[in-house]
Amino acid sequence: MTRTHIVVIGGGYAGVLAANHLQAGRDVAITLVNPRPKFVERIRLHQLAVGADDATEPYDTLLGDGVRLLVDGAEHIDAQARRVQLTSGGSLDYDYLIYAVGSTGGTPAGVAGAAEFAYPIAEFEEADRLRQRLQDVPLSAPVVVVGGGLTGIEAAGELAEAGRNVTLITDVVGASVGPQARRSIVKALTKLDVKIIDGPEILVDAVTADSVILADGNRLPSAATVWTAGFGVPGLAAASGLTTDELGRLRTDETLTSVDDPRIVAAGDAASPSGIPLRMSCQAAGPLGIQAADTVLARIAGDEPKNINQAFAGQCISIGRNAGTVQLCHSDDSPRRVFIGGRTGALLKEQVCRATLTFMRKEGRKPGSYFWFKGDNRARQLEAARQETLVS
C-alpha cells in the first residue's frame, strides 16, 4: 500500500510537534525539512549570546522514530505539482505539506546603519554572531539593547548579569505585561545596573559601529548594539505565490488550511488564520503544530477538520539567571493583575524551558500525549474583528 507522504517545512517548536503528532496517522510517511542539523531553543538564544548555553538540542532526542529528518532548506513550493524545491538543488514530492517555517528578527527599516552594525538575536546564527563579537568587547565597554519587549528584556538582563555595561532603549519596557509585572521587571533590571531610557518619544535614528543615535540628537556610545525590536517571517510562502498577510505569514482558515490549497496547512509563527494570527511565541507554536497535524490527519481520513482552539496562560521572562517575572494572563492573552517575580519567577521560567523539550520528546514517543490550554477566546476575537470591519 502506498503511504501518504507528509512534508513538514521547519524544525522549530511547531514543526517538531506537528511531525511527532503525525505519527498517530495510519500509513503515513513523515519528512521534516530543516536547514540546521540540530533543534534551536529560541527561548535560550539570549543565553547563547553571552556564552551561557548552546541553545541547541540533537533532533534524535526529540523526534519520534517515524519521522525522517532531512537537513536542507526549502526554496520554493510548487503547490500545483505538490513539490518542494530544496536548497541543495533536489526536490521533494508531498501529498500534504505543513508550513512551519517560524519567524525571524524584524528588519530595522528606516534606521540608518542598523542593518550593517546592529546585532539581532532572533535566530541561532545571529545570536552566535553577537557571542563572537562580545568576545572582543571588554566587559566595561557600553552595550546598547534596542527594544523593550520580552526578547530585549531577557537580552539586557543576561548581558548585565554577565558584567556588561548595559543600556536598554525602548518606548515601553514590557508593553505586553501588566503594570505590576512591569514594575517587577524594571526593579530586577535596575538591580543589575541596567540603565533604561524609555518613553513614547524615544526613537532610534541611526546605528554606527560605536554608537546609537537617537532622534533627538543624543548619541549613546555602544561597542555592540543588540537589536530586538520587531519580528518578521521568511518569505517562502509569498515567493511561492501563496496568499499571505501583510507580514508574509501564510493566510489560512480556522483549521490552519491555506486559503489557496487544501493540501497545505500552516502552523506556528508563520500562520495567519483568518488574517488574525496568534502572538508569536513557543506557547502558541506548540499547540498550533499539533492542530495543524490534526487537520492533515482529518483530511487523510476523509473527516472534517476542526477549528483551532487554544488559549494563553501567561508570559515567562527571565532577567538573568537569578530573577524573572511570570505574568499570568487571561485566555485571550491579556494580563491579569497576578504575577510571580524574583527568584521564584526565574525558577518557573527555567522549568517552562525544560518542560518544552520534555513535552516534545513525549509526543515523539507517544503521539497524542501533548496537551494545551483551550477556551472560547478565539471565537470572541473573530467576532470582535468582524464587528470592527462592519463599523469601518
Side-chain angles (χ1 to χ4, degrees), residues 59-83:
Y59 273 113
D60 60 9
T61 71
L62 300 176
L63 294 173
D65 294 338
V67 180
R68 171 199 174 208
L69 173 66
L70 176 61
V71 180
D72 208 333
E75 295 294 315
H76 185 267
I77 300 168
D78 186 337
Q80 185 172 1
R82 297 181 198 163
R83 182 173 296 123

Side-chain angles (χ1 to χ4, degrees), residues 64-267:
D65 294 338
V67 180
R68 171 199 174 208
L69 173 66
L70 176 61
V71 180
D72 208 333
E75 295 294 315
H76 185 267
I77 300 168
D78 186 337
Q80 185 172 1
R82 297 181 198 163
R83 182 173 296 123
V84 179
Q85 299 297 326
L86 302 171
T87 304
S88 63
S91 63
L92 194 62
D93 292 335
Y94 65 84
D95 294 302
Y96 287 89
L97 182 143
I98 293 183
Y99 185 82
V101 298
S103 58
T104 63
T107 303
V111 180
E116 181 179 0
F117 297 113
Y119 291 81
I121 58 169
E123 298 189 56
F124 178 86
E125 291 78 9
E126 295 171 341
D128 194 52
R129 175 172 165 259
L130 174 59
R131 180 189 62 81
Q132 295 177 52
R133 168 59 182 157
L134 291 174
Q135 292 177 348
D136 297 326
V137 175
L139 281 177
S140 59
V143 174
V144 172
V145 177
V146 179
L150 306 192
T151 302
I153 292 166
E154 293 193 321
E158 210 72 40
L159 289 162
E161 191 173 80
R164 295 284 174 185
N165 174 12
V166 181
T167 298
L168 177 65
I169 300 175
T170 184
D171 52 352
V172 179
V173 176
S176 62
V177 304
Q180 297 86 0
R182 189 172 302 123
R183 286 193 290 270
S184 171
I185 292 169
V186 171
K187 180 180 178 180
L189 289 173
T190 302
K191 188 174 181 179
L192 290 172
D193 294 325
V194 175
K195 181 181 180 183
I196 300 173
I197 300 176
D198 62 339
E201 76 286 353
I202 300 300
L203 297 172
V204 174
D205 190 57
V207 177
T208 71
D210 58 5
S211 68
V212 173
I213 304 170
L214 301 182
D216 61 8
N218 283 332
R219 180 185 293 265
L220 305 174
S222 179
T225 299
V226 184
W227 194 276
T228 70
F231 282 93
V233 296
L236 176 61
S240 301
L242 298 170
T243 301
T244 63
D245 67 8
E246 66 282 354
L247 194 65
R249 290 170 289 213
L250 184 66
R251 283 290 300 267
T252 75
D253 63 15
E254 284 296 292
T255 72
L256 299 174
T257 303
S258 166
V259 297
D260 302 307
D261 190 327
R263 298 273 181 159
I264 298 177
V265 179

Side-chain angles (χ1 to χ4, degrees), residues 7 16 52 98 103 215 275 280 303 325 333 372 380:
V7 171
V16 167
I98 293 183
S103 58
M280 290 182 172
D303 297 330
T325 297
D333 205 26
W372 65 93
R380 295 199 304 270

